Amino acid sequence: MALILLTNDDGIRAEGLWALEQHLSRHHEVWVVAPETEMSGASHSITLHRPVTLKPYGPRKFSLSGTPADCVLVALHAVLPDRPRAVISGINAGFNVGEDVFYSGTVAGAREAALLGVPALAVSVAPGADFQAALPFVDRVLDLLLREHRPLLLNLNLPQHRPVRGLKVVRLGNRSYVDPVHNQGGNRFVIGGTAQWQQDEGTDLWALSQGYAALTPLIVDLTSHEDLERLRRSLSG
Ligand code: MN
């Protein structure tokens, strides 16, 4: 029985959040602090120039008029009775793979927890897929998270394929978007486009395309260690 915080970026009413909450409540003390409205694509933004409002949504459950990162910050500093053993963000309706991790509010919720030193997991499923198939994989990964000695930041994606063929631990792949800016006419633009997957072996996109769940360990340090030494040699002094 562990104290676990759930958040997401699809908002407090999202089905994926409650599938996760129901499942984990059987064995853990689960708290929920999730955005009042959908925050997909909010990335790691925080609300600085206005107060955010916390509203009760049920026992140990709250909505917040903010982003996923706001939710984790407020939960850890002002809501939870104790430090959580883990934070899980999701289950998101739609993949968060490759470069998506930069835009994703789901991943940012988990990353905020990691910044605060708490083990964290982001969970996403194929667009339109059921959430139930993700739950046994969440159990396995959460088990590992709770046993590790240092806080991990993990990104889990579930494929469309049923039954899921297994789990692969993989690196982030590349997913680019064709026509990411669509001109609707005049000065109106729609951001989005069509995703193009590069299925290099050993990547999350590859594992998902083969019918496997994809698990990627992430780090918060964005320093390019490769360039650090080179630039130090040529520019420092
Ligand atoms: Mn979302």
Side-chain angles (χ1 to χ4, degrees):
M1 177 105 168
L3 176 56
I4 291 171
L5 170 68
L6 305 186
T7 192
N8 74 352
D9 79 354
D10 289 342
I12 190 78
R13 286 168 205 84
E15 195 189 325
L17 174 68
W18 297 109
L20 192 57
E21 192 272 339
Q22 265 195 354
H23 178 72
L24 293 175
S25 292
R26 296 178 309 160
H27 300 296
H28 298 290
E29 181 185 334
V30 176
W31 289 66
V32 174
V33 179
E36 199 177 331
T37 54
E38 188 181 339
M39 286 285 159
S40 294
S43 187
H44 210 130
S45 60
I46 52 172
T47 306
L48 292 179
H49 302 295
R50 60 175 177 86
V52 286
T53 306
L54 190 73
K55 285 188 197 152
Y57 197 80
R60 301 199 299 249
K61 300 169 184 72
F62 302 86
S63 69
L64 186 78
S65 62
T67 64
D70 290 333
C71 289
V72 172
L73 270 174
V74 170
L76 265 67
H77 288 102
V79 178
L80 299 185
D82 205 348
R83 204 173 154 77
R85 295 273 312 281
V87 172
I88 307 182
S89 184
I91 300 171
N92 189 64
F95 293 128
N96 280 302
V97 288
E99 290 88 347
D100 295 342
V101 299
F102 286 102
Y103 303 101
S104 167
T106 305
V107 174
R111 192 167 49 223
E112 182 60 29
L115 287 176
L116 298 169
V118 177
L121 168 66
V123 188
S124 308
V125 299
D130 66 296
F131 298 103
Q132 299 303 318
L135 300 174
F137 293 91
V138 169
D139 284 342
R140 272 176 71 188
V141 175
L142 177 61
D143 209 47
L144 175 123
L145 264 191
L146 296 177
R147 278 189 284 115
E148 283 281 315
H149 295 297
R150 63 186 193 91
L152 291 175
L153 170 58
L154 302 175
N155 187 36
L156 176 67
N157 281 274
L158 274 293
Q160 192 89 54
H161 190 270
R162 296 290 179 272
V164 180
R165 291 175 65 193
L167 178 75
K168 297 275 187 199
V169 178
V170 284
R171 68 180 189 275
L172 292 177
N174 299 104
R175 162 152 114 160
S176 55
Y177 287 83
V178 181
D179 298 327
V181 177
H182 175 70
N183 191 336
Q184 274 199 319
N187 54 3
R188 289 165 60 86
F189 300 90
V190 175
I191 311 282
T194 310
Q196 268 197 339
W197 289 33
Q198 287 167 36
Q199 292 170 14
D200 300 333
E201 194 169 337
T203 64
D204 50 4
L205 291 157
W206 165 80
L208 293 165
S209 71
Q210 303 296 308
Y212 289 92
L215 182 72
T216 303
L218 303 175
I219 50 171
V220 170
D221 180 7
L222 294 175
T223 308
S224 167
H225 291 277
E226 199 181 339
D227 294 315
L228 186 67
E229 274 315 310
R230 194 171 55 82
L231 295 186
R232 209 173 248 159
R233 279 196 299 275
S234 62
L235 295 174
S236 288

